Amino acid sequence: MDWHTHSVFNQFPELTGYDPLGTDPALGEALARAGAQWARPWLGGYARQLGSAETYALAEQANRHGPALHAFDTRGRRIDAVEFHPSWHTLMALYRAQGLVGLPFEETRTGRWAAWAAGFYLHGQVEQGTLCPATMTQASIPLLQREPALWEQLRGKLYSRAYDPRDVPAQDKASVWLGMGMTEKQGGSDVRANTTVATPTGAGGRGGEYLLRGHKWFFSAPTSDAHLVVARTGEGGQSSSNLACFYVPRWRPDGSRNAVVVQRLKDKVGNRSNASSEVEFQDAWGLLMGEEGRGIPTIIEMATYTRLNCVAGSAAILRQATVQAIAYTRQRHAFGKALAEQPLMRAVLADLALESEAALALLMRLAEAYENDDAPAQRAWKRVMTPAAKFWVCKRAVELTGEAMEVFGGNGYVEGGVMARLFREAPVNSIWEGSGNVMCLDVLRALSREPEAAQALLADLLHAAQGEPRIAAALHELQALLAAPPAELEGLGRMLAQRLVLVAQACLLRAQAPACVADAFIATRLEGGGAGRVAGAIDTRGLDVGAILARAFAG
């Protein structure tokens, strides 16, 4: 008997096979404002390749078939090899071929940081795990540039567009990847608690050879060709006076494998395509970068760049969640009409769209600051707003991916789909490179240690707020909050960082976005304490929701 118990209708797969740049007016406008029109042709081709069904399939495969550790070969020799699915290598090669790893440092044209941010943002909408090695490699470049001998060896390999996955000494490879080793189990973000010790093999000092002994609880991308590692250079207890940064390659200069022993790969909630590990240094060979006692400032400089990448990654997740939700609700019908025409659903979608565009606007403003950090206001945006943006944008991605998943109902809550991967991926950017509280404390630290930066930033925001009383009122409240006694201010850190970001986003959207977007953002974020509500709990009666949604996904 031929059974026909049901037919499939009013069901639609998650979005693939589209142009993520061509359907994103806000991103195109941001590139033009930044003077990055020169990058638009190749970014357009990259975007179309990323948005293809084939690339989405690669992303699904790379996350379903995660990396596997092979600690020994068949004869018991320690090899610490990590096996990746072929899809991982294809995606890594795709990113590397764009030249994005070294673009902001190698390129000299105006808009180079905006072009990088756009490329990273586009890639992150489809697959995030492959961006972890890219992030750390890029962030290592400004540190390595100050070490002439190392830079001479690595410059061409860092800027290379060729993907070389071989596990061989760096000198034999066409390109290299770098990772970082900072976190230990007893300290976490408190690097001063680190116990890994580095002992000089000779005179020591900058560029000198050391042997490292200790452990790292999170060692990102263990297959990287080298890692920048924080270790102590002698006795000194839990202080920063004897912490230093070391370049620790996977292979020693003599061609033997370095004594960095992988204990296990982490079984993470998300970011499953990428390998994160726990390792032991059993007298691993390394070179001192910079000066002894400067380990924390050195690694924090690297973290300044990786935190920007966290903002970009979370903005990408917000964008993809928004696009997926809008595309799906335009097709699926319930209660007599498309979900995207249902008033309550429109409130949710509009809220997602506003959050997404605000995150992009902040990302691109930070990119401008990184490109032009020689001016006081630009340095303030870079130093103060980077941790604030990481706190807020990454937090919003965690919440709103859950909201977007709910748009799909039960279909969003099954593995194998885009929404489930976004939901599992979102928390990593909020945790990695400093949790939310650490970011808020960093904002407070920057404001107190660099009062001129705080003044420059507030002056910039005051100028942008002219003529808009709602922004001016929010900025006045922010200034009053900053005037609180230091003993009180730390406990208000999250409130301060949140308000700082919302005022900045409101200023940016007012200057750059259509009035329908800017006015809606200001009304829903700055008036009536709306920032703390759930997504979609907004009064849409005075908003042009149709225009907001049409702009959010022009597909």
Side-chain angles (χ1 to χ4, degrees), residues 294-344:
R294 297 290 298 170
I296 290 181
T298 300
I299 211 71
I300 283 180
E301 181 182 351
M302 185 178 183
T304 300
Y305 292 95
T306 56
R307 288 170 179 175
L308 175 65
N309 288 42
C310 288
V311 176
S314 288
I317 289 173
L318 280 168
R319 172 65 185 171
Q320 183 65 188
T322 300
V323 166
Q324 291 290 344
I326 293 174
Y328 182 72
T329 56
R330 284 175 178 173
Q331 300 174 87
R332 184 164 172 83
H333 286 68
F335 310 111
K337 55 184 174 182
L339 284 177
E341 297 302 319
Q342 304 282 1
L344 198 52

Side-chain angles (χ1 to χ4, degrees), residues 86-140:
S87 56
W88 164 269
H89 295 294
T90 302
L91 290 165
M92 290 282 280
L94 176 61
Y95 188 87
R96 190 97 205 199
Q98 312 310 312
L100 288 163
V101 170
L103 176 66
F105 304 104
E106 185 180 22
E107 182 60 66
T108 59
R109 283 178 284 186
T110 298
R112 56 191 178 275
W113 274 99
W116 161 79
F120 192 98
Y121 178 76
L122 290 165
H123 189 105
Q125 292 178 47
V126 181
E127 211 288 310
Q128 290 257 331
T130 41
L131 292 177
C132 180
T135 289
M136 294 181 295
T137 302
Q138 182 195 73
S140 72

Side-chain angles (χ1 to χ4, degrees), residues 48-49 77 87 93 110 122 126 215 233 248 276 375-376 382 478 497 555:
R48 288 186 291 274
Q49 188 172 2
R77 288 180 288 264
S87 56
T110 298
L122 290 165
V126 181
H215 78 282
T233 54
V248 181
S276 300
K382 179 179 178 179
L478 178 62

